[in-house]
Amino acid sequence: MKLHEYQSKRIFAEYGIPIPRGDVAATPVEAREIAKELGGPVVIKSQVLVGGRGKAGGVKLAKTPDEAEQVAKKILGMDIKGLTVEKVLVDQAADIRDEIYLGVVIDRARQKPVIIASAEGGVEIEEVARVNPEAIIRLPVDIRMGLMDFQARDLAFGLGLKRDHVNQFVRIVKGLYQAFINTDASLAEINPLVVTGEDSLLAVDGKIVLDDNALYRHPDLAELRDKQEETPAEREARAAGLSYVKLDGEIGCMVNGAGLAMATMDIVKHYGGEPANFLDIGGGAKADKVAAALRIILSDPKVKAVLFNIFGGITRCDEVAKGILAALEEVNTNVPMVARLVGTNEEEGRQILAAASFPSASTLGEAAEKVVALAKGA
Ligand code: GDP
Ligand code: MN
């Protein structure tokens, strides 16, 4: 789950990271009021959950409260990479002398958090990695020891910071690391961390991505979820406890188990089809969950055929068969389907489907071949 810039920066501030003064506005008049309150030039920043807002015209300076109102009027309602701007952050404008990149991510290969820093901040770090990879410093951190002062100082020197900035930088990077750990984040990023004309460091932009699997430990953070981040189908899937990822193909797949779901997608591709989604209904799914999953799959208008691939272990094939039929009563559809049920109670499951003239297949290959043919209108 992604947090907005203003939410991320408020968390950073709790960890002693200096952020500009500012507040969030949902209307141009509110933006004007905030600008008046702050006094002096401000920066109006679209709050949408994508990067590169600056390039897209979603970050603009304003010298006066009047101008702040005008700029906010332009940015609010704007479409940035498919997302509508509903809020803007009005911050005291920083006098930027230098832009640094500073982030913490999980390095899965090293199984550690890694601090990433670059003196080439401001632009997207992926871009720096592509054109100037040697400008990026990586520092893996041992979670038992945490980030040590000497490591943070090394990082400061590596970035070529002036001596006066080193202590402040050490506090910021330690604060960022602690915020990352304490919120169970998968990413905590300041880009840019700037050196201002007043010769101090300031976090001008902030981004936190939280680990969804740890959100139950942070009910206060879970509440910050922006509905825009998810499609209605994704929201329903989360509420039903299903893992669902929408894809671009035409074959809906309902599978129990993540590995089996991936294998199913491979097989569909092998037979010349394109999967419309990844969907794992999990172990022990009962009829109501199957129905929810089918509703979600069919809510995608691109879906031309649906494949059920169920390996009955804890999940019982007869339960799934009943679920499929119950779901079909509820969602009226002409989309053709085929099921492959094996494992616990497979005979019962197949009989239930056969009695309802629902096509099934005995092997995954056969099922994939059939569903691809069905999608092509055969
Ligand atoms: P992003 O494009 O979504 O990453 O949004 P940022 O908040 O990082 O803003 C993009 C760029 O706008 C920054 O890299 C800065 O160059 C510029 N910018 C942002 N805030 C300020 C500010 O307060 N003053 C000035 N002069 N420039 C700013
Ligand atoms: Mn940025």
Side-chain angles (χ1 to χ4, degrees):
M1 171 183 146
K2 294 175 188 161
L3 295 185
H4 280 293
E5 173 192 4
Y6 74 94
Q7 297 165 332
S8 307
K9 289 201 299 201
R10 281 176 190 170
I11 292 173
F12 291 164
E14 288 170 28
Y15 289 84
I17 297 171
I19 61 166
R21 290 202 302 135
D23 208 348
V24 181
T27 66
V29 173
E30 277 172 34
R32 173 203 193 86
E33 290 307 310
I34 297 166
K36 205 160 102 190
E37 178 78 30
L38 292 171
V42 293
V43 58
I44 313 277
K45 313 181 74 177
S46 52
Q47 298 298 289
V48 281
L49 295 168
V50 288
R53 296 162 305 161
K55 265 191 211 152
V59 177
K60 290 241 148 60
L61 292 162
K63 289 197 192 71
T64 63
D66 273 346
E67 205 186 330
E69 184 175 344
Q70 284 162 24
V71 171
K73 201 169 170 180
K74 271 202 201 111
I75 294 181
L76 284 163
M78 206 172 139
D79 182 285
I80 298 183
K81 301 181 185 174
L83 297 172
T84 309
V85 181
E86 285 171 355
K87 285 181 183 150
V88 290
L89 174 63
V90 183
D91 265 359
Q92 202 162 46
D95 173 12
I96 298 181
R97 225 196 283 150
D98 247 323
E99 299 188 283
I100 295 163
Y101 176 93
L102 187 62
V104 190
V105 285
I106 296 287
D107 183 328
R108 286 164 191 266
R110 286 194 178 101
Q111 304 185 350
K112 280 177 179 161
V114 174
I115 299 189
I116 296 182
S118 175
E120 314 260 312
V123 290
E124 282 177 44
I125 195 70
E126 292 82 358
E127 184 63 15
V128 182
R130 206 169 54 77
V131 295
N132 196 9
E134 62 282 4
I136 296 178
I137 307 172
R138 288 182 182 77
L139 171 67
V141 181
D142 183 325
I143 52 163
R144 290 160 302 184
M145 311 290 272
L147 178 65
M148 314 285 266
D149 283 14
F150 78 90
Q151 294 178 305
R153 272 197 302 276
D154 271 355
L155 212 53
F157 294 130
L159 289 170
L161 288 179
K162 287 202 306 189
R163 222 156 238 299
D164 321 359
H165 294 143
V166 172
N167 286 341
Q168 211 193 345
F169 179 83
V170 167
R171 275 198 299 279
I172 290 170
V173 67
K174 289 184 80 176
L176 186 66
Y177 177 77
Q178 214 48 55
F180 172 88
I181 293 291
N182 291 5
T183 59
D184 287 314
S186 55
L187 169 79
E189 176 184 274
I190 305 173
N191 187 28
L193 172 67
V194 307
V195 181
T196 69
E198 295 86 54
D199 214 25
S200 58
L201 298 178
L202 188 67
V204 159
D205 187 14
K207 178 174 175 183
I208 293 180
V209 181
L210 300 168
D211 180 348
D212 286 334
N213 293 315
L215 268 184
Y216 74 96
R217 306 208 291 192
H218 307 283
D220 51 327
L221 297 176
E223 267 175 31
L224 301 178
R225 187 185 291 278
D226 182 338
K227 303 275 178 301
Q228 270 203 3
E229 190 195 0
E230 294 179 311
T231 63
E234 283 169 340
R235 207 174 313 144
E236 190 181 352
R238 193 166 47 80
L242 304 160
S243 310
Y244 171 78
V245 181
K246 191 188 153 355
L247 301 167
D248 287 330
E250 69 291 339
I251 295 178
C253 303
M254 188 186 311
V255 189
N256 64 330
L260 189 60
M262 286 193 273
T264 305
M265 289 158 58
D266 283 349
I267 279 280
V268 163
K269 270 181 168 290
H270 179 75
Y271 281 97
E274 281 296 328
N277 64 275
F278 167 96
L279 196 157
D280 173 11
I281 59 171
K286 293 275 191 333
D288 56 338
K289 215 168 176 183
V290 175
L294 190 58
R295 265 199 312 276
I296 290 164
I297 290 177
L298 292 175
S299 71
D300 175 357
K302 280 176 102 176
V303 169
K304 294 221 167 56
V306 179
L307 168 61
F308 295 84
N309 185 21
I310 303 298
F311 182 78
I314 304 170
T315 310
R316 293 166 36 187
C317 293
D318 56 328
E319 272 286 345
V320 173
K322 278 185 217 154
I324 294 173
L325 298 182
L328 283 175
E329 264 173 36
E330 203 185 305
V331 278
N332 230 328
T333 178
N334 298 321
V335 173
M337 305 184 186
V338 58
R340 179 242 183 186
L341 308 176
V342 291
T344 310
N345 294 0
E346 63 177 71
E347 264 320 307
E348 291 88 331
R350 281 204 206 110
Q351 274 164 23
I352 291 168
L353 292 183
S357 316
F358 190 100
S360 52
S362 47
T363 68
L364 180 50
E366 184 193 333
E369 207 171 353
K370 270 189 183 164
V371 80
V372 171
L374 287 171
K376 290 190 172 143

